[in-house]
Amino acid sequence: MSVATHTHISALIRHRRSIKPVDMDSSRAVERTLLTTILEDATWAPTHGLTEPWKFIVHQGGARQRLAETMQCVYQATTPANEFREDKMKKMGENPLLAPVVIACVMERRGGAKIPEVEEIEAVACALQNLQLSATAAGLGCYWSSPPLLGTREFAEWLQIGVEDRCVGLIYLGWPKSGLNWPRSVRQPVESKTRWCDE
Ligand SMILES: Cc1cc2nc3c(=O)[nH]c(=O)nc-3n(C[C@H](O)[C@H](O)[C@H](O)COP(=O)(O)O)c2cc1C
């Protein structure tokens, strides 16, 4: 790989930000061909045993309304009264309609006892980072959301996923609203996260 390509990839990785659905243009569709390329890029993630343990359930158009209603129902049914928050409930009803695409990203258990579950989840996380980087390179905004209700039996049943499978996140995708100030972020100096062992 050339140095120029590395420079571009490094810049892309650092440029990716979580773009909230409220900052996406809900009226501008994402072309199916572009979505397919982004999903294909996701699948080039590494997987132990080449199990490719992902499933992407893509919600667009009216399916987003059904997703929003389901999240609200499941949240209401599974949240203890003392933890229930009206603002969260409201957001669940709104967010899927603010983004043109919402992808329920599922770890489908494929490796059996040979591959630990955590490694299947890790592989899906790698795929979702690929997905986000590919989307960012295309100019799309993306946002990984993981409300606790994703782990409930009720939501898993609605998604029609297996008992050993797990929805690890909702990825919201959409074109950023024009004029959006791209969010800034910071990271700790890598030296504080690194121990060099040279001798
Ligand atoms: C596994 C995972 C789950 C996440 N879940 C949420 C979430 O539920 N809500 C949220 O606001 N952000 C969520 N995020 C996004 C992080 O908040 C975000 O990546 C972090 O603030 C750093 O910002 P950046 O993505 O712009 O670099 C999640 C990220 C990951 C990797």
Side-chain angles (χ1 to χ4, degrees), residues 5-70:
T5 306
H6 183 218
T7 303
H8 287 133
I9 288 176
S10 187
L12 171 67
I13 289 168
R14 292 161 194 232
H15 178 65
R16 181 211 57 78
R17 288 279 71 77
S18 295
I19 304 296
K20 295 277 167 82
V22 70
D23 291 322
M24 296 175 183
D25 182 349
S26 57
S27 65
R28 190 172 162 202
V30 182
E31 304 77 14
R32 176 70 66 101
T33 47
L34 175 57
L35 273 180
T36 303
T37 301
I38 288 169
L39 292 173
E40 280 172 356
D41 288 343
T43 68
W44 281 94
T47 64
H48 191 175
L50 209 57
T51 56
E52 302 191 47
W54 34 71
K55 177 72 123 206
F56 307 108
I57 305 175
V58 183
H59 297 85
Q60 302 179 98
R64 295 170 306 153
Q65 179 69 44
R66 289 196 297 279
L67 172 65
E69 287 166 4
T70 302

Side-chain angles (χ1 to χ4, degrees), residues 123-189:
V124 176
C126 291
L128 298 193
Q129 179 67 348
N130 276 3
L131 189 160
Q132 293 189 97
L133 291 174
S134 178
T136 303
L140 285 163
C142 48
Y143 168 61
W144 184 336
S145 162
S146 56
L149 71 88
L150 299 189
T152 63
R153 183 179 46 79
E154 288 85 344
F155 193 69
E157 278 175 7
W158 183 76
L159 284 178
Q160 300 180 340
I161 63 176
V163 286
E164 293 198 322
D165 304 342
R166 268 171 70 164
C167 181
V168 301
L170 299 174
I171 298 274
Y172 292 80
L173 281 179
W175 301 104
K177 280 182 178 165
S178 71
L180 173 73
N181 280 327
W182 199 252
R184 291 177 173 278
S185 191
V186 287
R187 294 296 187 266
Q188 298 298 313

Side-chain angles (χ1 to χ4, degrees), residues 68 70-76 79-80 82-96 143 145-149 172:
T70 302
M71 286 206 289
Q72 286 189 312
C73 281
V74 175
Y75 180 67
Q76 202 152 31
T79 309
N82 61 334
E83 288 172 25
F84 185 88
R85 281 181 38 193
E86 202 56 59
D87 58 330
K88 284 198 172 179
M89 175 81 170
K90 191 164 170 280
K91 262 195 183 162
M92 280 172 199
E94 291 170 352
N95 272 347
Y143 168 61
S145 162
S146 56
L149 71 88
Y172 292 80

